[in-house]
């Protein structure tokens, strides 16, 4: 989270910004990061910066894979995690069951900012 915020601050330096209202992020399903945790961390690392008080808007990034065996590319099947409410992406090819490479869903990144310019 700290490195992401640093990158955003670096980007903001190049513009004449009065304040930042919202920071939009996508959170990959495979990061297994809790939104509460992220919000909490965000508040701490933005304290004393131009981002202080801005709203962190998070959306999920679904897992996407590409199959090394049959060439399938797309989403995956989900299995329900024992005892948990949420489902877990099944990281094998839904078509042939082969090994896959994860192409999306592993990272968290800032997608857009809502700013007030001076
Ligand atoms: Zn496959």
């Amino acid at each position: 989270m700290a490195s992401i915020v640093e990158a955003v601050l670096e980007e903001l330096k190049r513009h004449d910004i009065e304040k930042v209202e919202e920071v939009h992020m996508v959170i990959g399903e495979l990061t297994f990061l809790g939104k509460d945790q992220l919000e909490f961390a965000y508040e701490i690392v933005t304290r004393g910066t131009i981002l202080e008080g801005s709203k962190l808007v998070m959306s999920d990034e679904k897992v996407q894979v590409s199959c090394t065996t049959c060439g399938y590319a797309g989403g995956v099947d989900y299995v329900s995690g024992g005892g948990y409410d949420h489902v877990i992406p099944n990281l094998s090819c839904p078509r042939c069951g082969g090994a896959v490479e994860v192409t999306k869903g592993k990272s968290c990144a800032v997608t857009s900012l809502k700013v007030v310019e001076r």
Side-chain angles (χ1 to χ4, degrees):
M1 179 49 87
S3 57
I4 290 169
V5 168
E6 263 169 46
V8 172
L9 288 172
E10 201 55 41
E11 176 65 27
L12 288 173
K13 272 187 204 161
R14 286 188 248 155
H15 306 273
D16 203 9
I17 304 296
E18 172 83 33
K19 75 178 187 133
V20 180
E21 289 186 332
E22 288 175 5
V23 174
H24 292 247
M25 277 185 82
V26 289
I27 313 294
E29 276 182 325
L30 291 177
T31 61
F32 297 109
L33 293 168
K35 287 186 179 159
D36 291 348
Q37 275 169 279
L38 285 173
E39 246 165 36
F40 183 70
Y42 184 77
E43 212 184 296
I44 290 170
V45 294
T46 57
R47 209 167 278 169
T49 72
I50 193 169
L51 291 173
E52 183 170 358
S54 63
K55 191 166 179 265
L56 184 61
V57 182
M58 289 171 282
S59 52
D60 296 316
E61 182 184 67
K62 290 278 179 197
V63 173
Q64 296 268 306
V65 296
S66 76
C67 178
T68 49
T69 310
C70 74
Y72 169 87
V76 293
D77 291 332
Y78 290 82
V79 287
S80 52
Y84 296 96
D85 288 339
H86 59 274
V87 291
I88 296 165
N90 176 20
L91 292 183
S92 57
C93 177
R95 196 194 282 168
C96 74
V100 291
E101 256 174 59
V102 176
T103 52
K104 264 189 170 180
K106 274 195 295 194
S107 57
C108 53
V110 173
T111 50
S112 63
L113 303 170
K114 194 174 163 192
V115 301
V116 178
E117 290 190 42
R118 242 190 280 271

